[in-house]
């Protein structure tokens, strides 16, 4: 590791990917020493799945506060750095010396306490973060309330926030919805896949999405607990071409099949929502929908489904629920 770090300095290397390797305390100290060197031009560091300890994270985070670090992107997914590691990173971000713009902390068992440290950092004027991944960190509605407060603080620069695979429910969704329709939130992409959001949360999100003050352009709501009522509210919000929402496959199938049977005006075949959903329906379901469309003599949908069937490699935009 010492030789590698020397090469980083002498060869002016800007990107280092050590993901999948084991980074012990000694290796972490070598990386920290490198970041402190005023001849280090490293801007992107990937230490995902390296079993790096909270102590190692502390050494690296401290090094970034030297005033010499140019680090802008840090990837630490699947390391279980916990609360102590999160605290060290937050301290570095609040220092004003770390120019970090992208931070990936997926799967680090931060919990609410660890996430709280990160949230406190990105609402300070010294933090430059614009992309944050907090997937799979056991985050609850309580900390999501703090996140919602932070993203409208006027100091937060986040445009991308991923909270997939946590424990966020209707209350958390409501807090985020209030934030994104406030006109003070800069988020354009939001991931809420794999949480426990139901119809109530979906209604709040739909209301926010229809607001002229909402800047959001992409929303991932796959694998939640949204039923027909919540779906209908989201569909109405989805009618804007500026917005892309990901649902689960069973819901896209429902939209298209409802269009075919003409069970609701919202699902009429001429609606652009139906056209998009046909592009997203899993390949395995396309033929079944084609037979249904033929039975109901829904010619518009039949043509679209025939086009899908003629594709050499049908596209799968969405994953299973």
């Amino acid at each position: 590791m010492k030789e590698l770090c020397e090469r980083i300095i002498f060869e002016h290397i800007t990107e280092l990917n050590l993901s999948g390797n084991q980074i012990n305390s000694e290796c972490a100290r070598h990386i920290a020493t490198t970041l402190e060197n005023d001849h280090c031009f490293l801007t992107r560091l990937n230490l995902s799945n390296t079993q790096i300890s909270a102590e190692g994270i502390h050494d690296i985070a401290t090094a970034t506060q030297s005033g010499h670090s140019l680090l802008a992107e840090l990837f630490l997914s699947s390391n279980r750095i916990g609360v102590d590691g999160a605290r060290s990173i937050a301290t570095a971000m609040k220092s004003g010396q770390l120019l970090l713009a992208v931070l990936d902390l997926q799967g680090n068992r931060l919990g609410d306490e660890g996430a709280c440290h990160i949230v406190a950092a990105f609402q300070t004027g010294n933090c430059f973060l614009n992309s944050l991944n907090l997937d799979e960190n056991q985050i609850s509605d309580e900390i999501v309330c703090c996140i919602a407060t932070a993203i409208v603080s006027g100091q937060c620069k986040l445009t991308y926030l991923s909270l997939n695979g946590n424990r966020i429910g209707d209350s958390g969704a409501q807090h985020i919805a209030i934030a994104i329709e406030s006109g003070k939130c800069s988020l354009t992409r939001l991931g809420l896949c794999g949480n426990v959001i139901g119809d109530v949360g979906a209604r709040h999100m739909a209301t926010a999405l229809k607001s002229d003050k909402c800047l959001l352009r992409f929303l991932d709501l796959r694998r939640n607990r949204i039923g027909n009522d919540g779906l209908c509210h989201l569909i109405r919000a989805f009618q804007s071409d500026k917005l892309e929402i990901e649902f689960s496959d069973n819901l896209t199938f429902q939209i298209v099949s409802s269009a075919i049977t003409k069970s609701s005006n919202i699902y009429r075949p001429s609606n652009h929502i139906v056209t998009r959903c046909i592009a997203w329906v899993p390949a395995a379901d396309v033929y079944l929908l084609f037979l249904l469309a033929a039975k109901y003599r829904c010619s518009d949908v039949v043509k679209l489904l025939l086009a899908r069937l003629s594709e050499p490699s049908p596209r799968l935009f969405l994953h299973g629920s």
Side-chain angles (χ1 to χ4, degrees):
M1 178 59 73
K2 181 179 180 181
E3 291 78 9
L4 174 61
C5 290
E6 289 175 350
R7 285 188 58 193
I8 291 171
I9 294 172
F10 293 129
E11 299 180 19
H12 294 171
I13 292 173
T14 59
E15 297 186 15
L16 178 62
N17 187 344
L18 295 174
S19 60
N21 292 285
Q22 185 171 353
I23 302 296
N24 57 28
S25 297
E26 183 181 357
C27 292
R29 282 194 293 271
H30 282 304
I31 295 172
T33 301
T34 302
L35 290 170
E36 288 177 321
N37 192 300
D38 57 3
H39 295 292
C40 177
F41 293 90
L42 204 63
T43 60
R44 181 185 175 94
L45 178 60
N46 191 336
L47 298 177
S48 298
N49 192 27
T50 57
Q51 301 178 42
I52 190 169
S53 65
E55 180 185 356
I57 291 297
H58 175 75
D59 290 339
I60 291 173
T62 301
T64 62
Q65 301 175 60
S66 64
H68 301 299
S69 175
L70 300 177
L71 197 63
E73 300 180 39
L74 179 60
F75 301 88
L76 294 169
S77 64
S78 305
N79 278 306
R80 302 180 182 180
I81 66 172
V83 175
D84 291 339
R87 184 185 296 112
S88 297
I89 294 171
T91 300
M93 289 194 294
K94 288 188 287 187
S95 71
Q97 299 295 328
L98 179 57
L99 305 178
L100 204 63
V102 177
L103 178 60
D104 182 357
L105 292 173
Q106 177 181 354
N108 271 285
R109 296 188 177 181
L110 302 185
D112 283 354
E113 185 179 355
C116 187
H117 287 296
I118 301 298
V119 172
F122 71 66
Q123 61 181 323
T124 65
N126 293 330
C127 181
F128 302 93
L129 208 62
N130 60 48
S131 175
L132 177 62
N133 185 339
L134 290 175
D135 292 354
E136 301 169 14
N137 274 296
Q138 302 170 350
I139 295 172
S140 71
D141 284 344
E142 183 178 355
I143 195 62
V144 171
C145 177
C146 298
I147 291 174
T149 301
I151 59 180
V152 297
S153 65
Q155 302 293 338
C156 179
K157 302 172 181 64
L158 283 181
T159 59
Y160 172 85
L161 176 61
S162 189
L163 295 169
N164 300 325
N166 284 291
R167 296 184 284 120
I168 302 168
D170 290 337
S171 176
Q174 180 180 7
H175 287 302
I176 292 224
I178 292 171
I180 63 177
E181 68 175 329
S182 68
K184 301 177 182 178
C185 176
S186 57
L187 286 181
T188 58
R189 297 179 67 84
L190 175 62
L192 291 171
C193 170
N195 282 284
V196 290
I197 298 170
D199 286 345
V200 174
R203 287 199 298 271
H204 286 299
M205 293 300 298
T207 300
L209 294 171
K210 289 186 285 187
S211 168
D212 292 336
K213 296 180 180 179
C214 174
L215 300 179
L216 212 61
R217 295 295 176 268
F218 176 86
L219 174 63
D220 188 349
L221 287 170
R222 292 170 297 158
R223 296 195 295 276
N224 276 282
R225 299 178 180 177
I226 301 171
N228 290 342
D229 181 59
L231 172 64
C232 287
H233 283 85
L234 287 168
I235 290 297
R236 293 187 179 96
F238 185 46
Q239 302 216 22
S240 168
D241 285 323
K242 70 180 183 180
L243 180 66
E244 180 182 351
I245 304 177
E246 289 202 10
F247 302 113
S248 58
D249 290 335
N250 63 322
L251 296 183
T252 56
F253 182 93
Q254 178 183 333
I255 292 169
V256 179
S257 61
S258 296
I260 292 169
T261 57
K262 302 178 183 179
S263 59
S264 171
N265 289 333
I266 195 171
Y267 299 123
R268 59 187 183 278
S270 59
N271 195 314
H272 73 277
I273 297 172
V274 175
T275 305
R276 292 188 187 182
C277 287
I278 286 175
W280 295 344
V281 168
D285 293 335
V286 172
Y287 186 66
L288 179 61
L289 285 171
F290 173 75
L291 295 178
L292 187 65
K295 175 182 177 181
Y296 281 87
R297 298 180 181 179
C298 192
S299 58
D300 292 342
V301 178
V302 166
K303 291 177 183 178
L304 293 171
L305 289 168
L306 278 174
R308 275 294 313 273
L309 288 169
S310 65
E311 292 176 359
S313 300
R315 294 166 291 174
L316 290 177
F317 287 88
L318 303 181
H319 306 293
S321 61

